[in-house]
Amino acid sequence: MREYDGEATAGRVKAGRPEFFSARELLAASIPVITVNHRGAARLRAGHLWVYRSDLVPPVDALAGSLVHVRDERKRVLGSALYSSSSQIAIRLLTSDAIGAEQLPALLREHMVNAIEFRRQVAHDTDSYRVIFSEADLLPGLMLDKYNDVLTLQALTQAFDRDDLRQLVLDCITKHFPGASVVERVDPHIRELEQLPPRESQLIRGESATTIFTLNGVQFHFDGLGGQKTGAFLDQRENYAAAARYAQGEALDCFTYQGGFALHLARVCQSVTAVDSSRPALEIAEQNEQLNRAAHKTGEIEWMEANAFDLLKDYATAGRRYDTVVLDPPAFAKTKRNVPTALRGYKELNLRALKMLRPGGVLATCSCSFHVSESEFFEMFGSAAADAGRRVRILEKRGQAADHPSLLNVPETNYLKCVILSVI
Ligand code: SAH
């Protein structure tokens, strides 16, 4: 008789060979195994969670959205992952262990609870924050945002669209956020990419998809199901507060959307001109202004429907001057190939903004393009400052709010840049 000596067999420890399976691996033997080439394996060993389809070694025999085991070409275990049969990102790693199907629910629950606990640490003074941020919470393909008492859920992969996993996620939400409404937000483009049948956004728990939520004491309307998406860029929550710490005088907020920065600036500035090309977004911004005007003293806000590039050009030519400017454009670089064009766009905006700032003025400038790196962004900005003939001091280098954590070694989770500067 031999005593059970733990999970690793002697053979495995000695030779490091995968042919000798642990007890746990044997139990999990029914899980499909996907082999990845050296590039895929190197990526996972370097701490990334993705393997692209081009790095899978055929034959690949796994069902859409299933749990798979990942191995390198020498059959060494790299972990367990969720598989997509259609996305270019074929594999999203969940854990470096080989787990059995019966362990998946507990693992996902554990990652969800970790995500919720982490927010208690970093987002305790707000009613609105991102509760689950996909890869950064080791729940690749799952997003959960909290807007006061309404939660919005997004399943971005085949796996999290499975009925059993959806139910598991919903049960966990109900347990940790009792009484909150839950809206499932559907991105039709993503469902198409994942080859999932079309589905409408819908209220799946609770009575109402609308609420009012508060960021740094500023109130916003939220409608999880309205024709026009309302809400906020929660990733900017801490940057709103930071910008308001330095803002003063006459302010210009370009790409205001529903007034995120503008409403914060109005608390401390004499006047704010807030620009966006979307009329529906500005209509909600105006309603948000009413909401806050009732409770607080705020500076004048002028909502302008305009193309920010044209407006900056015209205002600069007309000799308009500001004490505070915010630039928070949409992602100009959606792919790596767009980066040079995106940088030209960023430079044009920043150059004009710098020219319009009075001495001592403050600029908060952002980029949410993951493909534009922080160093490229700074280089662009340095060149804009030189061309504008302005000297600039860096007040704060910032990123996304702490409830949108970035996972080291998964650079895609680190996308937002926000720099606050003072012009001499
Ligand atoms: N600063 C906002 C988020 C901006 S999102 C906040 O904190 O909530 C980007 C916004 O840019 C969108 O509202 C979009 O309508 C607007 N936009 C896109 N292109 C534009 C352009 N050329 N001129 C003005 N607004 C534009």
Side-chain angles (χ1 to χ4, degrees):
M1 194 201 272
R2 234 185 73 198
E3 261 184 51
Y4 177 60
D5 61 355
E7 284 183 356
T9 65
R12 190 168 189 222
V13 170
K14 203 165 87 208
R17 292 250 175 79
E19 288 87 338
F20 300 92
F21 294 113
S22 68
R24 180 172 286 183
E25 282 168 351
L26 283 173
L27 263 180
S30 60
I31 306 286
V33 175
I34 292 187
T35 304
V36 301
N37 67 15
H38 66 283
R39 220 177 24 216
R43 180 175 261 271
L44 294 181
R45 290 208 171 93
H48 209 293
L49 300 178
W50 296 349
V51 179
Y52 292 105
R53 186 159 306 283
S54 51
D55 291 335
L56 304 189
V57 178
V60 176
D61 188 16
L63 293 174
S66 62
L67 176 71
V68 295
H69 286 168
V70 188
R71 299 247 173 109
D72 68 9
E73 285 173 294
R74 295 173 62 192
K75 296 199 164 98
R76 284 177 300 203
V77 173
L78 291 164
S80 304
L82 297 172
Y83 176 70
S84 167
S85 61
S86 65
S87 166
Q88 280 315 303
I89 305 168
I91 279 183
R92 294 171 194 249
L93 204 74
L94 282 173
T95 165
S96 304
D97 297 326
I99 61 160
E102 74 293 345
Q103 291 167 282
L104 181 63
L107 182 77
L108 295 178
R109 261 184 235 117
E110 182 191 323
H111 289 188
M112 288 184 74
V113 170
N114 278 343
I116 293 165
E117 291 289 319
F118 178 73
R119 288 355 180 248
R120 296 223 162 95
Q121 239 179 315
V122 302
H124 38 73
D125 55 349
T126 176
D127 67 12
S128 302
Y129 52 89
R130 176 152 291 177
V131 185
I132 295 174
F133 185 25
S134 199
E135 277 73 12
D137 287 302
L138 305 181
L139 292 162
L142 186 66
M143 297 276 209
L144 182 67
D145 286 330
K146 179 177 183 300
Y147 293 92
N148 191 9
D149 51 354
V150 179
L151 297 165
T152 63
L153 178 68
Q154 264 190 297
L156 306 170
T157 52
Q158 293 171 346
F160 281 108
D161 199 59
R162 279 166 45 177
D163 284 345
D164 58 335
L165 297 195
R166 271 164 58 87
Q167 194 54 48
L168 181 146
V169 168
L170 276 174
D171 290 348
C172 189
I173 293 174
T174 306
K175 180 169 170 205
H176 290 274
F177 301 96
S181 295
V182 182
V183 174
E184 178 170 12
R185 275 284 223 330
V186 172
D187 180 336
H189 178 61
I190 292 205
R191 286 192 77 83
E192 215 177 294
L193 288 180
E194 287 284 299
Q195 291 176 355
L196 293 166
R199 192 165 35 214
E200 296 286 308
S201 293
Q202 53 174 330
L203 181 66
I204 44 181
R205 287 276 154 90
E207 302 285 297
S208 168
T210 64
T211 192
I212 287 171
F213 67 98
T214 309
L215 301 176
N216 313 301
V218 178
Q219 292 189 300
F220 296 85
H221 287 284
F222 179 73
D223 183 352
L225 287 177
Q228 162 76 5
K229 174 185 180 282
T230 58
F233 287 83
L234 295 176
D235 52 2
Q236 291 281 26
R237 175 176 54 90
E238 294 170 352
N239 298 331
Y240 294 151
R245 281 202 292 278
Y246 300 102
Q248 40 153 340
E250 291 174 80
L252 176 65
D253 175 18
C254 293
F255 310 92
T256 193
Y257 183 55
Q258 294 169 2
F261 279 99
L263 294 164
H264 282 79
L265 300 183
R267 289 274 168 98
V268 289
C269 293
Q270 176 193 326
S271 65
V272 183
T273 301
V275 186
D276 203 281
S277 56
S278 159
R279 177 181 284 265
L282 290 174
E283 282 168 0
I284 293 161
E286 260 182 321
Q287 293 168 21
N288 287 337
E289 182 191 354
Q290 297 313 321
L291 201 61
N292 288 282
R293 199 166 282 292
H296 288 273
K297 186 176 141 298
T298 54
E300 279 310 309
I301 310 179
E302 183 186 22
W303 305 103
M304 298 274 291
E305 181 187 343
N307 178 325
F309 284 90
D310 296 343
L311 181 128
L312 280 170
K313 190 167 159 206
D314 294 348
Y315 278 19
T317 312
R320 293 229 192 179
R321 293 287 174 267
Y322 290 93
D323 304 292
T324 303
V325 176
V326 173
L327 298 173
D328 182 21
F332 287 157
K334 299 261 195 248
T335 63
K336 194 99 205 122
R337 246 184 316 146
N338 292 143
V339 169
T341 319
L343 286 169
R344 277 197 295 279
Y346 286 122
K347 182 168 173 187
E348 181 178 336
L349 292 174
N350 281 280
L351 178 66
R352 294 197 197 286
L354 282 169
K355 285 189 171 164
M356 283 201 280
L357 277 162
R358 296 195 176 101
V362 169
L363 174 64
T365 180
C366 311
S367 162
C368 56
S369 303
F370 154 70
H371 294 287
V372 172
S373 69
E374 191 178 287
S375 61
E376 283 170 319
F377 191 64
F378 268 93
E379 203 175 299
M380 169 285 297
F381 188 75
S383 152
D387 288 4
R390 303 300 295 263
R391 301 265 173 209
V392 175
R393 291 189 189 107
I394 297 173
L395 293 170
E396 290 191 31
K397 281 189 201 178
R398 310 182 54 87
Q400 57 230 43
D403 47 289
H404 291 61
S406 43
L407 188 67
L408 198 65
N409 296 324
V410 181
E412 290 81 358
T413 56
N414 183 11
Y415 60 96
L416 183 63
K417 294 150 279 285
C418 172
V419 190
I420 306 182
L421 308 122
S422 156
V423 176
I424 299 178

